[in-house]
Each structure stands twice: as structure tokens, then as C-alpha cells.
Amino acid sequence: AKDPVRVLVTGAAGQIGYALVPMIARGVMLGSDQPVILHMLDIPPAAEALNGVKMELVDAAFPLLKGVVATTDVTEACAGVNIAIMVGGFPRKEGMERKDVMSKNVSIYKSQASALEKHAAANCKVLVVANPANTNALILKEFAPSIPEKNISCLTRLDHNRALGQVSEKLNVQVCDVKNVIIWGNHSSTQYPDVNHATVKTPAGEKPVRELVADDEWLKGEFIATVQQRGAAIIKARKFSSALSAASSACDHIRDWVLGTPEGTWVSMGVYSDGSYNVPTGLIYSFPVTCRNGEWSIVQGLGIDEYSRKKLDLTAEELSEEKALAYSCLS
Ligand code: NAX
């Protein structure tokens, strides 16, 4: 039998945490033959709720779950973890300035970076979910210099999956037959959902989405806006932000990273830019990636038309501004 993998979930007493930990314990993230030990971190005001989540995990009697650590101590939470899913953060509250929210998250991600660097297992893979996800991941990278930058990522897979879902609904095809959409840039409303290279499996072979959706206006208008604004639409409908879809996408992100993407398929991940597609280096930016042997690589050589170029640059500009704001909170 395989040795258990230790998975940290921060903010585990929150909404996404509540949806995510049972998925991990059931093998959705790492496979149905992979035992796990869950490390759950939250802050003292949520300690009792966190303990309640632990009780429910025990009650669910998951065969793959070999242990649960529920703690408000960052050191204990990070000890020996192989995978860290960073869901905990400071939410933007009514009337708060952007800078104040950024400042709270910068200080959280700075200190959790140090704890991971000191106490996590070597080669720990990190996924930041908490917003502003790209910039929190960048701060984590800056303050955990001994963690390879290849091991630090942020979640844009939810946006990617939302784009697959919209194409599937528009064409009335199964979502599993749609592939290779791309989310470029920031996990924010400036992200660019791109279908220029996406395809659909049909009885007559693979067809470009661009050919099947003849409606260019829909692709440039409603499609992009729906994916960009989906988070807000969920809040309006549910009165809470997306949780089950976020948790499921976080599992997809880690599963593909660790176990590999299927041949001929790419996914979107927020990763440290190496300058591919003329995206400035020094940003955590969402790119199309394939994964093999536990490592991602950015898909190279895709054609970028003039329309897309502007969108790629716009979301990069927003990330540069966020980075400047984050750095101004450090001094
Ligand atoms: P909740 O407010 O339900 O949960 C957040 C939890 O984090 C709370 O239990 C809180 O006590 C805890 N927390 C706060 N500070 C902490 C710290 N320093 N250390 C550990 N835990 C801490 O929010 P939820 O709906 O679960 O969302 C979590 C985060 O995900 C938010 O930042 C949200 O904006 C972000 N999202 C990101 C998405 C993405 O695709 N990247 C999509 C979903 C979601 O909106």
C-alpha cells in the first residue's frame, strides 16, 4: 500500500474548506488508491467550527483518511505537508479600501510562506485559492525563497472549468467532449477566457469551437463576460460565493499537476511567468499548461491574434498594479 500523503488546507473551517476536505478524503484529489492525512488550519475565532469539521471527518469513516490534524498553530499545520491548499485569507468587507484588504493578505501570506518554507516536506506543492489569488501566491513565493518557484501556483481552474461549461451549454454537447480553452492572466474580472484553440469531440472527429460556434459576437461578448462575472452571479443567486465548484476545481488542479494531464489536453494554472507569450516575468499569471511527472510546462507556440494580445496585456497590467500595491504594503 502507498504511504499517506499529507495535505494542508488553510481556512478549513470556511465554506470552500467544508466542501474540499471530504473530496480529498474520498480520493478525488489524489486518486482512490492514495491514503491521505489531512492538516486543517484556521484562526482562533474559528477553532470550534474547525473541530466540528474534524468530528464530521471522523464520522464519515473515510477508508483513505489515515489521520486529521486540526489546529490554529501554523507550525503544526505545515509540519511535513506534501501539498498545501491555501484557502484561508482576509475577505473584503463592505467599505474597506483595496489597500487595507491587500495589506491583511500580504501579512498572512508572508508569515505562512515562512512556515511552509521551514516546516513543509521538501518538494511541497502549493496551490493558493484565497483572493487576490495570483498576488497572494506571488507574496508566498517571495517569502519562501527555498521553495522552488515551479512548486507555487494559484487557482484559475475554476474559471477554466466555467469556460468549458459555457461552451458545452451553448453547443449542447457533453462538457467532457470540450477541451483546451485557456484562461489567461488574473483570477479577476480582467481574466481573458480564450476559445481560439479549443475543440469539441464530435462523431466526425475533433472540431474547433470557433467553427462550431459561428457566432463571433457571442464568443467576444456574452461568453467572455459570463465567465468573468460568474463569481458575482453565484453570489447573487446563492448569497454565498462559489464553494463546491471551487473545491472541485482545486482537486482538478492538484490531480492533473501530480498525476499528469491527458495526452493532447491542456489546463489553465496560475504560475510564475517565464516571459512566455511576452507576459512580463515576475508575475503569477494564468497560462495553458500540460503536466507530466509532477511538473507543469507552459504550452508554447499558440497563435495570439491582435484582439487576444490586448486582452493578455490588460490583465498583465492589472497584475503589475496589484504587485505594486502588495509591495507598498510591505514597507
Ligand atoms: P470563508 O470566509 O468561508 O472561509 C475562509 C476561512 O479562512 C475562514 O474560516 C477564516 O477563519 C479562515 N482564515 C482567515 N484568515 C486565516 C489565516 N490567517 N489562516 C488560516 N485561516 C484563515 O471563505 P470561502 O468562501 O471559503 O473562500 C475562501 C477564499 O477563496 C476567499 O479568499 C475567496 O475569495 C477565494 N475564492 C477563490 C476562488 C478562485 O477561483 N481562486 C473562487 C472561490 C473563492 O471566491
Side-chain angles (χ1 to χ4, degrees), residues 11 13-16 41-43 46 87-89 108 112 129-131 133 155 158 187 241-242 246:
Q15 296 201 81
I16 295 177
L41 175 71
D42 213 295
I43 49 177
V87 184
I108 293 171
Q112 294 186 356
V129 176
N131 282 315
L155 187 72
L158 174 56
H187 169 68
S241 55
S242 34

Side-chain angles (χ1 to χ4, degrees), residues 10-18 41-43 45-46 74 86-91 105 108 111-112 128-133 136 154-159 162 187 235 241-243 246 249:
T10 72
Q15 296 201 81
I16 295 177
Y18 191 72
L41 175 71
D42 213 295
I43 49 177
V74 185
M86 315 300 284
V87 184
F90 196 91
N105 284 298
I108 293 171
S111 73
Q112 294 186 356
V128 178
V129 176
N131 282 315
N136 286 342
C154 81
L155 187 72
T156 55
R157 183 62 175 271
L158 174 56
D159 309 291
R162 284 167 172 165
H187 169 68
I235 295 176
S241 55
S242 34
S249 301

Side-chain angles (χ1 to χ4, degrees), residues 225-257:
T226 302
V227 176
Q228 289 174 336
Q229 307 294 335
R230 190 69 159 183
I234 301 284
I235 295 176
K236 192 156 176 281
R238 227 173 65 84
K239 317 290 178 257
F240 293 102
S241 55
S242 34
L244 87 84
S245 54
S248 180
S249 301
C251 290
D252 289 345
H253 176 113
I254 296 290
R255 191 197 56 237
D256 287 345
W257 191 1

Side-chain angles (χ1 to χ4, degrees), residues 81-137:
V81 298
N82 307 100
I83 290 171
I85 320 284
M86 315 300 284
V87 184
F90 196 91
R92 184 162 185 177
K93 294 185 184 148
E94 194 90 30
M96 259 180 104
E97 294 290 333
R98 249 182 98 218
K99 172 146 189 177
D100 298 331
V101 191
M102 183 66 85
S103 164
K104 299 264 189 205
N105 284 298
V106 163
S107 88
I108 293 171
Y109 279 83
K110 194 178 156 187
S111 73
Q112 294 186 356
S114 310
L116 279 172
E117 181 168 50
K118 288 198 198 95
H119 306 292
N123 215 26
C124 174
K125 287 180 160 62
V126 183
L127 166 61
V128 178
V129 176
N131 282 315
N134 301 55
T135 301
N136 286 342

